[in-house]
Amino acid sequence: MSRSTFHSATLFVSGVIAVLIGAGIALNPVGFHATAGIHLGAGDSALLNEMRAAGGPILAIGLLALAALFAHRHRTLALTASAFFYTGYGLARFASLMVDGIPDQMMVWITLLELVVGAACFIGAASSQRRGPAV
């Protein structure tokens, strides 16, 4: 697989995941979190506001990753931002596993997915920096 293909695939996967999650949280936080067995109080406006606010940056990272598929000069930025985003989430979830105990199996798989996607983004960003921008 060429470097450009790896970058494109990584940006596509990370972008689609983040757009779907960000939009789901921003548009329907109660329904989105219910799919993972997390039940939010539908009448708690402060909690819903906090949940929707968290969806915005997730959506933005996803849009940046997808935009970088077409604006090649932004690939390194998008890969780096996605790397920190996914790895940050994955490491925080892993720390929670250690401190709070093991949650639902789906949350464990999500943790693994975030760490794998984050690692792929770091590899892509590092290869982009080391050899110059891919075209």
Side-chain angles (χ1 to χ4, degrees), residues 75-95:
R75 282 189 171 194
T76 302
L77 170 65
L79 286 165
T80 303
S82 294
F84 279 100
F85 166 73
Y86 281 101
T87 305
Y89 260 92
L91 290 175
R93 287 188 201 278
F94 183 75

Side-chain angles (χ1 to χ4, degrees), residues 49-128:
N49 182 283
E50 189 65 23
M51 292 293 101
R52 287 182 200 277
I58 297 170
L59 179 59
I61 287 288
L63 292 173
L64 173 64
L66 293 176
L69 289 170
F70 305 101
H72 293 199
R73 68 183 178 275
H74 297 301
R75 282 189 171 194
T76 302
L77 170 65
L79 286 165
T80 303
S82 294
F84 279 100
F85 166 73
Y86 281 101
T87 305
Y89 260 92
L91 290 175
R93 287 188 201 278
F94 183 75
S96 178
L97 289 170
M98 299 295 113
V99 173
D100 303 320
I102 299 174
D104 182 77
Q105 185 177 7
M106 186 168 93
M107 298 306 290
V108 175
W109 283 109
I110 289 170
T111 302
L112 180 62
L113 176 68
E114 288 166 342
L115 292 172
V116 168
V117 171
C121 290
F122 268 119
I123 291 166
S127 72
S128 178

Side-chain angles (χ1 to χ4, degrees), residues 8-55:
S8 294
T10 303
L11 286 167
F12 179 77
V13 169
S14 67
V16 167
I17 291 170
V19 164
L20 292 174
I21 290 171
I25 293 171
L27 298 174
N28 184 8
V30 173
F32 178 84
H33 286 292
T35 63
I38 301 168
H39 303 288
L40 303 175
D44 189 343
S45 60
L47 178 60
L48 293 175
N49 182 283
E50 189 65 23
M51 292 293 101
R52 287 182 200 277

